[in-house]
Amino acid sequence: MSTEDNPSGVQFPADERGQRSSTQTARTVFARAAEKLGPKVTAEILAEPKWHKAYGSHLLELVRRSRSGPSFMQVASKGLEAVHDSFQFLRGGEEFSLQQAMEQFHQPVFHTGEIKGGGESPGELQVPLNGKRLSGDALKRQFDAWETRGTMEPSAAAALHELADDPSQLDLRDLNFALLGAAAEVGPLQFLSHYGATVVAVDRPRPYIWQRLFAAARSGTGRMLFPVHKPLRGGEDEEELLALAGCDLSAEAPEIRTWLADLSMPYCIGGYAYLHGQRHVCVEVAMDMIMSDLAARRDDISLAFLLSPTDVFLVPEAAMLCARERFAKEGLSKLWRAPLRTLSRQRLFAQNIEDSVEGSSGIVYGLYDGIVPAQGPNYALAKRIQQWRAVSARFAGVPVSCNVAPATATSSVMMRKDFSAALRGGEAYGMEVFTPQTSNAVIGALLVHDLRNGSPNDTGDSAHAAELFMDKAVHGGLWRTGVQLRSVIEIAAARGFLKL
């Protein structure tokens, strides 16, 4: 990423004083998204004086009012329009709109390297868990256990059962994937490589990153294509390849688009890159530039996203009823939970699905509030861009895989003592945290199932567009636990510290 002293690539818009405010940009984007929902919603967003603390309530209202498939789509369309109108692309001291940048910087600058795998295909669905590699009946029992505990939705368990029963679907030699942020810990790279897919890896030009990516490719049974800045003569040693590999998603988005557009094969392009703070939003916008451009110019592209359970969703009525039942059955804990809830003015031990929304077709959905303020409004905006692009692409007829992934003990999460402690203590409140290895296998398998069998395609009134996110969700129990995560996160962290 570029430095603040010499910015380049995707940037937040500058105001008349040259300041780049993520807060003002987020308010503007969400207000534009809400335009069709009424002037009151828009005005309240723009007038919010404490955005960093209150953004979650506005996001909740945005989803609450999107009762029909068309209204949900209008919000997505307007939100994406605002993102692409607001953000800027900087290069050589000049400012461009995102569209101008994609049109002007189209020249090819990348060449292609290739690594072939030399491993053996597992042949059947395998998922690493607690130091073991589960397969066969043991794995299917684990799927049943996750469904029973409410760790994943029944549709996810059914899809995983299907893959376990029909391993022919896991021969991925006919599938190609372009992974933006290929080295992301919660990403499908390892899984796809092991089952024979061709993976086009896009990640930062850092030798330590590519060392991991090359190792994953060589241990797999497929092949990896990757960008290099000059033609390869053949016979380069490892050190040379590591020095040449990689690109900057934010600074080189137009050229990455050009390189991917020239690939002569159909592929699924997935956005998995993650950075901290404002940089997360910038890299998300860069990925959206690439994905939307490719989906518009080619008819053999599909898109893939991973959503976070710490967001706002419409969820199935069955998940809502389960959450409410569990909330009501507090047992002896009512002796302290109820008073604490009252004394804290509903801040502690709050209900995660208090309200329901009836869609225009009469289907009832739960309104799930999983916002965790510690993650911040930049994180919320980045994940919302993914949701908006997913439903907009699906509406345009582009195949989309968009699964909710579980909370995962990645290195970036575990580096923060407060977050890692909260994950350890969250088990007491029905939260199940996956290791990166387990997440990689589960979400990789669900991605393959989506591509082989499809995912919800009806974006009209009969099935809400948000059902795309409900299908095959692996939320780690957060939809069904009954207790709002942010209302117990401090207590969960205290429990986690005691486990050290």
Side-chain angles (χ1 to χ4, degrees), residues 76 103 133 147 165 177 228 251 255 301-302 317 340 390 402 413 422:
E103 292 173 351
R133 294 194 69 84
E147 180 183 353
D165 291 333
F177 298 84
V228 291
E255 290 83 4
I301 296 291
S302 54
E317 185 178 22
L340 285 174
C402 193
V413 169

Side-chain angles (χ1 to χ4, degrees), residues 12-244:
F12 281 86
D15 61 20
E16 61 277 3
R17 296 175 298 171
Q19 301 297 312
R20 301 186 184 278
S21 170
S22 61
T23 296
Q24 184 56 43
T25 303
R27 275 199 296 247
T28 299
V29 167
F30 282 117
R32 286 269 301 275
E35 279 182 0
K36 298 293 185 178
L37 302 180
K40 184 174 183 291
V41 182
T42 300
E44 288 176 349
I45 292 173
L46 291 174
E48 178 56 64
K50 298 179 179 178
W51 183 257
H52 191 79
K53 292 184 177 180
Y55 70 91
S57 62
H58 295 288
L59 184 51
L60 194 72
E61 192 64 19
L62 200 64
V63 177
R64 186 199 310 273
R65 288 175 174 266
S66 303
R67 295 183 58 252
S68 67
S71 66
F72 200 89
M73 282 302 310
Q74 287 174 343
V75 168
S77 177
K78 286 292 184 181
L80 290 173
E81 182 182 287
V83 168
H84 283 256
D85 286 348
S86 300
F87 280 79
Q88 300 171 338
F89 189 89
L90 275 61
R91 181 171 289 179
E94 294 187 67
E95 292 184 357
F96 305 88
S97 71
L98 302 187
Q99 182 177 349
Q100 287 173 333
M102 294 299 270
E103 292 173 351
Q104 181 160 340
F105 304 115
H106 56 78
Q107 64 277 14
V109 300
F110 294 114
H111 303 271
T112 304
E114 181 176 355
I115 298 285
K116 292 185 178 179
E120 294 184 8
S121 174
E124 62 179 345
L125 183 58
Q126 295 182 357
V127 174
L129 183 69
N130 299 328
K132 301 178 181 178
R133 294 194 69 84
L134 300 183
S135 62
D137 289 341
L139 180 57
K140 289 190 279 189
R141 286 194 294 271
Q142 183 61 52
F143 297 153
D144 293 338
W146 276 330
E147 180 183 353
T148 300
R149 292 201 296 266
T151 303
M152 61 175 57
E153 290 303 292
S155 56
L160 293 170
H161 268 287
E162 183 178 335
L163 292 179
D165 291 333
D166 181 13
S168 67
Q169 295 191 48
L170 295 171
D171 182 352
L172 305 185
R173 288 175 293 180
D174 62 323
L175 294 183
N176 311 299
F177 298 84
L179 307 183
L180 306 181
E185 283 190 85
V186 184
L189 170 69
Q190 198 83 34
F191 182 89
L192 301 176
S193 296
H194 279 176
Y195 288 93
T198 291
V199 173
V200 183
V202 175
D203 217 305
R204 291 176 293 168
R206 305 286 189 273
Y208 72 91
I209 291 177
W210 288 95
Q211 196 169 34
R212 296 203 315 268
L213 291 174
F214 289 172
R218 291 190 176 108
S219 66
T221 61
R223 63 175 181 149
M224 175 183 287
L225 306 180
F226 56 95
V228 291
H229 279 274
K230 69 178 187 179
L232 299 177
R233 64 182 188 277
E236 284 86 357
D237 61 25
E238 182 85 354
E239 189 173 340
E240 288 178 290
L241 286 177
L242 291 174
L244 291 171

Side-chain angles (χ1 to χ4, degrees), residues 153 315-326 351-357 364-367 479-480:
E153 290 303 292
V315 303
E317 185 178 22
M320 175 188 71
L321 295 176
C322 176
R324 289 181 175 178
E325 181 180 0
R326 290 181 175 181
Q351 195 169 354
N352 68 337
I353 307 178
E354 190 171 1
D355 298 327
S356 61
V357 172
V364 175
Y365 306 100
L367 181 63
W479 286 6
R480 291 174 175 257

